[in-house]
Amino acid sequence: MGENSTEARVAAAVQRHARWRAWWEVETAITAVMSDPEVRRLGEEIRQEETRLGLELRPRFQPLKDQYDRAVREGNIDVLTRTCHGKHGRWGRICVLTAGHESAELHWGITSEGQPVAWVGSAPDDD
């Protein structure tokens, strides 16, 4: 009985260490990639283009943003459940388009600073 308990604790410790090591390796790789000057330059270029496109499309999509803002103020769950269901909020964006637009791949909304933004695609964890 004591031997199985010791084996189980050792196995659990090995698993914890393996998870920690994998996490550390991934974090180290991500940090190395994100610190590359070319990656930073491209990231800034993409951000600027998304901002430019967001401003360009503002006249077309502003009514949807206004509707979204009203729904938030009034707690209108019906309207809020019809907006894009993508998980963009964790990336500092809210898409104000209605659900179902995802097949077109274009999202339009606001950043966490309240600026208009348009982007193509979704976050990797969107279902």
Side-chain angles (χ1 to χ4, degrees):
M1 183 183 209
E3 189 175 312
N4 286 339
S5 174
T6 300
E7 287 177 13
R9 284 196 320 269
V10 169
V14 168
Q15 287 178 336
R16 281 192 306 273
H17 178 73
R19 281 193 301 270
W20 175 85
R21 179 66 186 201
W23 175 85
W24 179 82
E25 288 175 2
V26 168
E27 287 292 318
T28 301
I30 289 171
T31 300
V33 169
M34 295 308 291
S35 66
D36 181 86
E38 183 65 5
V39 171
R40 289 178 173 273
R41 185 191 70 73
L42 289 172
E44 180 58 23
E45 193 173 310
I46 289 168
R47 188 195 64 74
Q48 288 174 2
E49 183 60 20
E50 290 174 342
T51 299
R52 185 198 63 74
L53 187 57
L55 288 168
E56 181 180 309
L57 295 171
R58 185 181 215 160
R60 178 176 168 191
F61 293 123
Q62 186 65 40
L64 290 171
K65 182 185 177 305
D66 295 343
Q67 177 182 322
Y68 174 84
D69 290 345
R70 271 192 310 281
V72 169
R73 275 193 312 274
E74 298 168 2
N76 187 333
I77 301 301
D78 184 49
V79 170
L80 293 174
T81 58
R82 286 186 275 133
T83 59
C84 178
H85 63 301
K87 302 172 195 167
H88 312 298
R90 69 176 64 182
W91 306 105
R93 299 169 171 195
I94 296 173
C95 179
V96 299
L97 302 181
T98 55
H101 76 280
E102 296 86 355
S103 62
E105 293 294 318
L106 174 69
H107 295 273
W108 187 91
I110 54 174
T111 65
S112 56
E113 293 84 26
Q115 298 301 313
V117 62
W119 68 98
V120 175
S122 294
D125 58 351
D126 277 356
D127 299 316

